[in-house]
Amino acid sequence: MNVRMRYQTNPNVLSRPTSAGAVLVDARSGDCWELNETAYFVWRMLSKPTSLEDLIKEVKNECGGGEAATSDVSSVVGKLQAWGLLDIQPGQPE
């Protein structure tokens, strides 16, 4: 996963909070996914184009977790991407 890429929620995917996190529904296919609280926090952060690096920083600031946050956020973004729930934009060159 490229840290300079910018990830954003797919506008065809709807989210509804639950007591344990959220449920996502793809309006096109009807497929559903359940997210825990941390994954839902990441999902909300992705409402605007965001880099993986910025996501990790924000999760560490809000939720703590140190280095575990890096692998957790990377895992969540990887799963959301694999499920087709994210739009991906190339990052800005350094």
Side-chain angles (χ1 to χ4, degrees):
M1 215 173 304
N2 184 330
V3 295
R4 289 187 297 181
M5 299 295 277
R6 300 183 68 72
Y7 303 88
Q8 184 172 10
T9 55
N10 181 319
N12 294 308
V13 179
L14 308 171
S15 66
R16 294 291 177 257
T18 66
S19 60
V23 172
L24 304 181
V25 179
D26 185 328
R28 298 165 300 181
S29 67
D31 291 338
C32 299
W33 298 268
E34 187 174 355
L35 302 181
N36 65 23
E37 289 180 11
T38 303
Y40 185 46
F41 179 81
V42 170
W43 178 260
R44 291 190 318 267
M45 290 291 303
L46 291 168
S47 64
K48 62 181 193 279
T50 308
S51 70
L52 185 59
E53 181 178 41
D54 289 343
L55 280 172
I56 292 167
K57 286 178 188 175
E58 192 62 32
V59 168
K60 285 181 178 181
N61 287 340
E62 292 292 321
C63 306
E67 286 308 309
T70 299
S71 63
D72 290 349
V73 171
S74 295
S75 176
V76 168
V77 171
K79 288 177 183 177
L80 294 172
Q81 182 179 359
W83 296 334
L85 306 178
L86 298 179
D87 291 335
I88 303 168
Q89 304 166 3
Q92 299 297 321
E94 293 182 7

